[in-house]
Amino acid sequence: MRLGVLDVGSNTVHLLVMDAHPGARPLPAHSHKAELRLAELLDADGAIGAHGVERLVTIIGDALHTAEEKGCEEVLPFATSAIRDASNADAVLRRVKEETGVGLQVLTGEEEARLTFLAARRWFGWSAGKLLLLDIGGGSLEVAYGMDEEPDAAVSLPLGAGRLTAGWLPGDPPDPADVKALRRHVRAEIARTVGEFARFGKPDHVVASSKTFKQLARLAGAPGSSEGLYVQRELSRTSLESWVPKLAVMTAEQRSGLPGVSEGRAAQLLAGALVAEAAMDLFGVVELEICPWALREGVILRRLDHLPEA
């Protein structure tokens, strides 16, 4: 069957169309995305402004039209931290429902972590043993750990690259004092969760998903996207630590000229790198592997798990 996953994230609204069947690998058929940056559109009261809501409604309408054109039998719509944390979330959801007919399922941070972990487990398989997963989105950082498809521990922290850039790094290039303050804040937030994971022992394999980790791995010399999904891509803490001070003195325009860094994500890359560096350091990760699958694939896999058998 052809399914669409409509992901209203902190950076983009992304419709991923996939051909999916129980017991088979979901195959991407079409991708439709629009940048919205909801995490950066919150006002002083934490609400999404009228202009942001108008754009959201329009973009969702366009995505639904695309899903229909591509023959989707079902669209699975969900929203993550940008709407979850907005002070006017209920009003935004009502407006979307009234004008588009879409009832967005707002995932909790723990649900995000668990579904992303499911995608990573299915990608790497049982032979990967105990997995530690890291995922940096626009609004939050997800961490999950476990041996099975359901993680033993899963947390979500408000350490997304977009959120932190908007709140902590106003300069371009950023003020060194702001970078230092953000680094201290990120490490304090992550350190509070380390003990919850340490009691389960050392992971056998550490993996990371999300655009931020993919871009950082590319900077460190990993193969580009043109080489396909199945090429192994890794990121070492040593390489990342060498890149952080370089990114800290660059403007967003200069970062956008780096290999694998898109113009739309360049401004957020430093904040994402600070979170990635802190997570790898505090969790004792020397090297991790990039997982091509993430939250959207996890949503589809969970949906397939609940289809009735033929």
Side-chain angles (χ1 to χ4, degrees):
M1 64 188 300
R2 178 158 284 192
L3 296 173
V5 179
L6 182 57
D7 174 2
V8 179
S10 298
N11 285 314
T12 62
V13 177
H14 189 173
L15 172 72
L16 181 62
V17 178
M18 303 191 81
D19 291 321
H21 306 277
R25 173 174 57 94
L27 295 173
H30 182 74
S31 177
H32 172 91
K33 67 175 68 174
E35 286 195 357
L36 184 55
R37 302 196 180 284
L38 284 174
E40 299 175 18
L41 296 178
L42 302 180
D43 61 23
D45 297 322
I48 300 172
H51 177 62
V53 177
E54 289 285 351
R55 288 179 59 200
L56 175 61
V57 168
T58 299
I59 290 170
I60 289 178
D62 292 341
L64 291 177
H65 176 72
T66 299
E68 182 179 334
E69 292 294 304
K70 296 299 178 182
C72 290
E73 299 177 43
E74 184 180 353
V75 175
L76 310 173
F78 67 89
T80 54
S81 62
I83 289 184
R84 180 172 70 233
D85 298 337
S87 60
N88 62 337
D90 290 342
V92 172
L93 294 172
R94 281 197 302 271
R95 176 79 179 277
V96 169
K97 177 68 171 177
E98 290 168 359
E99 299 206 22
T100 69
V102 170
L104 286 174
Q105 178 189 2
V106 180
L107 299 178
T108 67
E110 183 176 324
E111 286 171 335
E112 278 192 64
R114 289 182 175 279
L115 287 166
T116 307
F117 184 87
L118 170 64
R121 169 59 72 194
R122 294 279 177 92
W123 181 269
F124 289 105
W126 300 112
S127 63
K130 292 178 288 187
L131 280 181
L132 173 64
L133 166 80
L134 306 173
D135 182 286
I136 302 171
S140 58
L141 162 71
E142 274 69 52
V143 184
Y145 174 101
M147 172 69 80
D148 302 317
E149 292 194 339
E150 279 292 324
D152 296 312
V155 299
S156 178
L157 302 174
L159 298 176
R163 181 197 299 267
L164 295 179
T165 301
W168 292 79
L169 301 176
D172 187 27
D175 187 296
D178 291 337
V179 176
K180 185 176 181 180
L182 176 56
R183 184 179 187 274
R184 185 167 54 247
H185 168 71
V186 165
R187 286 176 173 262
E189 287 289 314
I190 295 174
R192 294 191 185 105
T193 72
V194 171
E196 181 177 344
F197 291 85
R199 62 193 179 93
F200 293 107
K202 185 177 179 180
D204 298 308
H205 198 45
V206 182
V207 301
S209 56
S210 74
K211 189 71 170 178
T212 294
F213 270 113
K214 290 175 183 176
Q215 290 183 337
L216 293 171
R218 182 75 180 91
L219 285 181
S225 58
S226 62
E227 297 193 37
L229 288 178
Y230 302 105
V231 176
Q232 187 168 335
R233 295 172 173 89
E234 297 175 334
L235 174 64
S236 71
R237 191 167 81 218
T238 301
S239 296
L240 179 57
E241 289 171 345
S242 71
W243 267 103
V244 170
K246 299 175 189 175
L247 295 172
V249 297
M250 290 181 177
T251 64
E253 182 178 1
Q254 288 171 327
R255 291 183 209 130
S256 68
L258 297 172
V261 179
S262 64
E263 183 178 353
R265 302 266 184 162
Q268 303 180 8
L269 188 59
L270 173 60
L274 289 169
V275 174
E277 178 190 39
M280 292 182 73
D281 184 15
L282 292 169
F283 281 102
V285 178
V286 175
E287 188 172 69
L288 56 76
E289 185 173 357
I290 303 300
C291 179
W293 281 1
L295 178 58
R296 285 181 288 273
E297 287 80 8
V299 169
I300 282 188
L301 291 167
R302 179 62 74 226
R303 176 70 184 91
L304 292 176
D305 287 346
H306 288 86
L307 284 178
E309 294 185 8

